[in-house]
Amino acid sequence: VRIGIDIGGTNTDAVIVDRHERVVAVAKRPTTDDPLTGISDALTTVLSQVDASAVQRAMLGTTELANALLERRGLDPVALVRIGAPATLGIPPAALWPDDLRARALAGYTIVAGGFEFDGTPIAPLDEDAVRRFASSIAERAAAFAISSVFGSSYPEHALRAAELVRECAGEQVSVTIAHEIGTAGLIERENAAILNASLLSSAERVIGGFQRALADCGLSAEAFLSQNDGTLMGASQAAAFPILTVGSGPTNSIRGAWHLSGVADALVVDVGGTSTDIGMLAGGFPRESARAVEIGGVRTNFRMPDLISIALGGGSIVARRDGELHLGPDSVGWRLAREALCFGGSTTTLTDIGVAGGRLELGTLDPGALGSELVASALTRLDATLLENCERMKSSHEPLPLVAVGGASELVPERLPGVSEVIRAPHHEVANAIGAAIAEASGSFDRIVSYQHRPRADVVSEARELAVGEAVRAGAARDAVRIVSVTEIPVTYMPGGGCRLQVKAAGPLAPQP
Amino acid sequence: MWSALPGLYGVPQMELGAAEIGLLALGARLLGSGGGGDPFFASVLALQAVERCGPVRLLSADGLPTDASVVAMGMIGAPAVIIEKPPNGRELTDVVRGVERRAGVETAAVMPYIVGGVNTLLPIAVAAELGLPLLDADWTRRTFARLEQSVLTLVGISCSPVALADEKGNVVMVESSDNHAAERLARAVTMAMGGSAAVALPPLSAFDVSAHAIQGSVSYCLEVGRRIQAVQGGAPGALRELLAYTGGELLFVGKVIDVDRRTTAAFAVGTVVIEHLRDRSRTLRLETQNENLLAFEDGRAVAMVPDLICVVDSETGTPITTEELSYGQRVNVLALPSAPAWRTDAGVALVGPRAFNYQLDYRPFATAATA
């Protein structure tokens, strides 16, 4: 038996699935400022419906960290040490970042002499004094450090030494994210990911710590996992150190949950929440991944993420006329919907009220005539046009596709949309994210420097694939369902017959537990 | 920003500012034909320079006095090195000053030696820094990895002495007997400089540039970028419009199922296999040496160098470089005709399939291929 939890901007959901991945208990509670209370509420409710001692695993998925980046909320100021001068000086750190994000996430940076050429020759000796001076001078203003280094993925020595120096000068307890531990090729992308990761550490501690305390408070001894961007599981303590690897988990879980609930492998997925709507694509039961360099909060990284369009429209979106113009969102009452929406006795007109007045939702009580029929009609027309436009952008052909509507406010999706063969609303769709977390897969990976000089590449790669599969099976995946998720090769020496960093990732659904 | 200004010599001029740099970066990704590196960092350099020094004037070569001195420049080296070790910035101006000093002339304008990939935008940064105009011309209008693979060699203009500069302040002049030797020696210097270096060709007169270079390359790249932006924005028929403008064809629509990369002395060599999206019995194989050079379907070559073979994201239309290709990506493969100078016997002899050790005779890609 497994528990899946999803912390959204508006609600915290919990579900319990049995060994056949059937949903046996469901709860939806408002998200609280300290995520702990919301999680505990949701957990207590689902656990009252099953035998708590049968729970073996608990999986958390959340959009909290992604939203922290998008909304520039709760980000820690990070001090960056880039090792590589005199190379790289033409591209300052955080170049082309949105100004407001740079202002919040980057306390300061230094580019010091050091780093390596492709063949391992130092560009310059590491300027240890410069690292010490910078770390001491910025320690009071920075909550965490990030370190990037030219060719650091192949030659980590300078980055590791700089991390030691930073701890000496800024305190042993200071958090240090070393870029090559999270990202791969491309100094700038890796450095961006490291800064964002360091900036999220205390938010991650709040969310993940809250999750672990809530489990303990409920007397659960289940293993705690977080779902990653690619929908596979990561242990909670590792996730707390590398939160950037989990920022895409919310959409991934909702798309996987939509697949599980609908049984449809290829479809549009529209997840309507309180503040935003995500539109993604199910391809063969998994989220279609974005092929381009993925931007997180407006910043280039080299992660692979679900291809997604997010629009700032949800059940809590405020509907207003200003200067004769109709505005839907982007402002939202969020989790205060149950107090502030007209249909719940509040005084704010939200998209939920429009849905109620237009007959799409049955919620609360709304005086007939509280909203002008012209307002209702034009707001719904606008909503449908926005959905249609973005669904069309998501599709890869003009052939009609089914649409799986999930999320707490998904009744706002109309029954018919051009280019959509049918709108599927499955039971429990309102907790699709938590279900996606509960059915997340175990994974295994291979990540080593290999050489093709003495053995054919095909043999080396196929052995790496087997090892990755073996590790996924040991992590709990069912052997016959494990597949290869990604194969990445990065040349290391750039020399004839030289080495290559080979990364293979395998993943598969958890084998049914005895 | 895209404004017609009265020309100094009666020729219309344009200004290149932040908006044009964005479009050029997009166009340059496509004209890289899979290689040439990601223009991202070059656009950062160009944007910073333009922000600091103001927009750059784009001139056609006949807009300069015939004896005005023009320097073609950019970078050489493995793209995988450049994304890992971005430049300092000073090597780009150092290298132009280097050839200038050697030739004893004052530079009147700079131009890209290659339009395609990172090299498209670097001369904009230099032009802004030095307060010079940029010429709307280049020597390849696609990416090639080797110095001698340029129209200069076709028309018999020597690359000697070529200058190379690194971020540490080292500048090396290479005098060579011919352009093939220039490539071999410059490559050795580049490796000694850490695998990437700024490069500048000896100054040429505006007359030679207007008589021999490929004219209008920068504005071609900009127009290509504008059409890719339309594809990215989801404009109906935008891909057709891009193909119509370039005379290109959609070769294949599929999913990447294998990427095999081997790195030789200085070039990234690889094979990419793409499975057709609907008919899984069909596969397209790309042979790459820094750039995509050949496309085979069922063992039959359907597009060949010097024509451009470009891989773009199926959903967004964003061009994907060979380094960015990875398992599972859904892609469209396009073929674009190369500049007319390349589609001649002499052009094919210099940069056709046999120049890359493929025992195949060049044939232009078929129009109306079935994707």
Side-chain angles (χ1 to χ4, degrees):
Chain A
V1 174
R2 306 201 287 267
I3 292 189
I5 291 176
D6 175 73
I7 311 174
T10 312
N11 289 305
T12 295
D13 302 336
V15 302
I16 292 184
V17 299
D18 67 11
R19 56 191 294 261
H20 303 293
E21 299 194 331
R22 283 181 306 229
V23 176
V24 293
V26 168
K28 194 179 255 307
R29 291 288 175 273
T31 295
T32 50
D33 278 338
D34 67 322
L36 175 65
T37 314
I39 302 172
S40 295
D41 278 1
L43 268 180
T44 312
T45 312
V46 285
L47 285 172
S48 66
Q49 303 168 51
V50 296
D51 168 17
S53 66
V55 177
Q56 287 159 314
R57 287 183 155 129
M59 287 82 153
L60 175 70
T62 180
T63 50
E64 278 285 283
L65 300 176
N67 288 342
L69 287 175
L70 285 175
E71 296 163 16
R72 327 299 196 212
R73 175 163 50 76
L75 299 177
D76 295 331
V78 175
L80 171 77
V81 178
R82 182 199 286 173
I83 307 168
T88 83
L89 288 170
I91 314 288
L96 304 196
W97 280 33
D99 291 336
D100 56 343
L101 181 59
R102 190 192 305 110
R104 278 169 209 262
L106 192 62
Y109 68 84
T110 184
I111 305 179
V112 305
F116 293 86
E117 304 285 3
F118 67 90
D119 59 0
T121 310
I123 294 172
L126 175 64
D127 187 344
E128 300 199 350
D129 282 344
V131 177
R132 284 197 192 93
R133 276 197 309 275
F134 175 74
S136 305
S137 71
I138 203 164
E140 283 192 4
R141 286 185 290 129
F145 282 77
I147 297 177
S148 66
S149 177
V150 172
F151 282 103
S153 300
S154 307
Y155 311 105
E157 297 92 299
H158 285 179
L160 296 174
R161 175 66 184 142
E164 279 175 21
L165 295 170
V166 163
R167 290 201 178 93
E168 268 172 33
C169 300
E172 282 303 312
Q173 295 311 308
V174 72
S175 306
V176 180
T177 298
I178 303 178
H180 69 253
E181 290 178 353
I182 35 174
T184 54
L187 176 76
I188 302 299
E189 288 80 359
R190 200 164 68 229
E191 177 178 279
N192 286 347
I195 299 171
L196 296 181
N197 189 72
S199 188
L200 283 173
L201 287 171
S202 65
S203 296
E205 168 52 33
R206 201 170 47 83
V207 172
I208 297 170
F211 171 53
Q212 289 175 305
R213 277 192 298 282
L215 292 178
D217 290 353
C218 293
L220 289 180
S221 56
E223 267 186 281
F225 294 92
L226 265 84
S227 54
Q228 300 184 68
N229 303 337
D230 62 7
T232 66
L233 297 168
M234 189 184 213
S237 56
Q238 208 193 352
F242 300 112
I244 194 74
L245 300 178
T246 71
V247 294
S249 67
T252 302
N253 287 339
S254 101
I255 294 170
R256 290 278 293 153
W259 164 76
H260 188 74
L261 290 171
S262 67
V264 179
D266 298 283
L268 282 158
V269 176
V270 178
D271 183 349
V272 191
T275 47
S276 65
T277 294
D278 289 338
I279 301 176
M281 277 285 289
L282 255 175
F286 289 87
R288 185 177 75 198
E289 284 190 332
S290 169
R292 58 189 179 275
V294 173
E295 295 201 345
I296 301 176
V299 171
R300 267 170 72 104
T301 65
N302 52 14
F303 297 123
R304 301 199 58 193
M305 295 277 208
D307 203 359
L308 202 71
I309 299 173
S310 285
I311 44 183
L313 265 187
S317 293
I318 296 170
V319 179
R321 268 190 201 286
R322 282 191 298 274
D323 311 326
E325 284 261 345
L326 178 65
H327 292 268
L328 307 188
D331 298 328
S332 165
V333 298
W335 57 270
R336 298 181 308 274
L337 181 73
R339 280 209 311 263
E340 298 194 3
L342 295 180
C343 64
F344 294 118
S347 58
T348 310
T349 308
T350 64
L351 203 50
T352 296
D353 299 309
I354 298 288
V356 171
R360 290 190 188 173
L361 293 169
E362 286 177 22
L363 264 183
T365 46
L366 191 67
D367 285 340
L371 295 168
S373 59
E374 188 273 335
L375 173 71
V376 173
S378 47
L380 288 177
T381 305
R382 175 81 70 81
L383 169 69
D384 294 354
T386 307
L387 288 175
L388 173 62
E389 181 196 325
N390 288 292
C391 284
E392 283 299 316
R393 275 175 59 198
M394 226 31 221
K395 287 165 63 180
S396 43
S397 78
H398 288 287
E399 287 163 38
L401 271 177
L403 181 157
V404 185
V406 298
S410 66
E411 279 90 356
L412 285 169
V413 177
E415 274 314 310
R416 282 175 204 292
L417 271 177
V420 169
S421 55
E422 59 171 325
V423 174
I424 301 171
R425 304 174 201 273
H428 302 309
H429 69 81
E430 73 285 356
V431 291
N433 290 39
I435 291 168
I439 61 157
E441 302 190 319
S443 65
S445 59
F446 173 97
D447 185 349
R448 262 181 237 167
I449 310 287
V450 298
S451 166
Y452 303 142
Q453 207 161 13
H454 305 294
R455 294 176 64 200
R457 169 181 176 272
D459 292 1
V460 177
V461 173
S462 96
E463 187 183 296
R465 291 167 77 111
E466 276 169 34
L467 288 168
V469 168
E471 197 183 303
V473 170
R474 279 192 299 283
R479 179 174 285 278
D480 53 358
V482 178
R483 68 197 188 288
I484 300 297
V485 182
S486 65
V487 180
T488 314
E489 293 168 273
I490 307 148
V492 173
T493 64
Y494 301 83
M495 284 307 203
C500 182
R501 180 170 175 193
L502 175 63
Q503 297 170 301
V504 179
K505 184 156 190 180
L510 293 172
Q513 287 152 340
Chain B
M1 299 272 212
W2 179 261
S3 55
L5 303 176
L8 201 52
Y9 296 91
V11 176
Q13 301 175 25
M14 301 163 192
E15 280 199 345
L16 305 179
E20 289 72 31
I21 289 170
L23 292 174
L24 282 167
L26 266 182
R29 279 180 76 88
L30 194 79
L31 300 182
S33 185
D38 182 347
F40 164 76
F41 87 81
S43 39
V44 175
L45 284 172
L47 283 169
Q48 292 181 134
V50 163
E51 202 169 281
R52 209 166 39 233
C53 314
V56 167
R57 283 179 304 143
L58 182 69
L59 290 186
S60 67
D62 53 10
L64 284 178
T66 51
D67 59 349
S69 174
V70 179
V71 173
M73 59 81 58
M75 284 187 83
I76 66 171
V81 170
I82 300 178
I83 60 163
E84 189 56 41
K85 191 183 78 163
N88 172 295
R90 68 177 274 187
E91 61 275 63
L92 301 171
T93 44
D94 279 359
V95 81
V96 172
R97 293 301 183 212
V99 287
E100 206 178 50
R101 224 169 26 241
R102 173 67 173 235
V105 295
E106 198 171 320
T107 305
V110 292
M111 63 182 272
Y113 88 102
I114 286 179
V115 164
V118 296
N119 283 310
T120 316
L121 293 161
L122 295 171
I124 298 179
V126 172
E129 295 283 350
L130 300 180
L132 298 174
L134 183 80
L135 283 202
D136 190 3
D138 83 326
W139 296 103
T140 54
R141 211 185 75 186
R142 57 155 292 157
T143 298
F144 281 122
R146 302 170 65 91
L147 269 182
E148 85 276 13
Q149 291 164 334
S150 93
V151 172
L152 285 166
T153 308
L154 280 189
V155 299
I157 297 177
S158 166
C159 289
S160 178
V162 63
L164 300 145
D166 70 10
E167 71 277 359
K168 302 173 187 83
N170 301 304
V171 180
V172 175
M173 308 294 301
V174 176
E175 282 192 24
S176 54
S177 54
D178 63 31
N179 290 351
H180 295 265
E183 157 62 27
R184 200 168 60 246
L185 298 170
R187 190 68 50 184
V189 172
T190 302
M191 294 304 274
M193 286 179 162
S196 71
V199 61
L201 305 180
L204 289 175
S205 71
F207 176 83
D208 280 340
V209 173
S210 80
H212 302 299
I214 301 169
Q215 306 299 315
S217 303
V218 176
S219 39
Y220 175 82
C221 181
L222 195 114
E223 289 302 314
V224 168
R226 201 185 297 284
R227 282 160 179 80
I228 298 169
Q229 193 180 53
V231 176
Q232 290 179 325
L239 180 63
R240 252 196 333 271
E241 169 59 27
L242 169 66
L243 294 172
Y245 178 74
T246 53
E249 279 294 325
L250 176 61
L251 288 181
F252 205 78
V253 179
K255 181 182 132 175
V256 177
I257 57 168
D258 189 41
V259 181
D260 174 6
R261 294 192 177 92
R262 307 173 290 280
T263 301
T264 61
F267 301 108
V269 177
T271 302
V272 178
V273 183
I274 301 165
E275 180 182 270
H276 198 276
L277 205 55
R278 285 182 299 276
D279 178 357
R280 296 180 62 178
S281 67
R282 287 175 65 188
T283 54
L284 188 81
R285 189 177 93 238
L286 300 180
E287 292 296 333
T288 70
Q289 291 183 25
N290 285 20
E291 291 77 42
N292 303 318
L293 297 183
L294 299 172
F296 292 94
E297 186 173 350
D298 300 327
R300 190 174 56 88
V302 291
M304 302 182 210
V305 66
D307 291 332
L308 288 73
I309 300 167
C310 309
V311 181
V312 305
D313 180 324
S314 284
E315 280 81 39
T316 66
T318 305
I320 304 173
T321 64
T322 50
E323 292 103 59
E324 292 168 335
L325 279 172
S326 65
Y327 179 88
Q329 285 170 334
R330 278 150 204 261
V331 297
N332 292 352
V333 183
L334 318 180
L336 267 51
S338 51
W342 292 131
R343 295 180 132 200
T344 59
D345 290 346
V348 168
L350 184 63
V351 295
R354 290 180 192 278
F356 296 89
N357 289 322
Y358 299 109
Q359 301 314 311
L360 285 170
D361 290 320
Y362 167 75
R363 284 178 48 204
F365 59 86
T367 47
T370 50

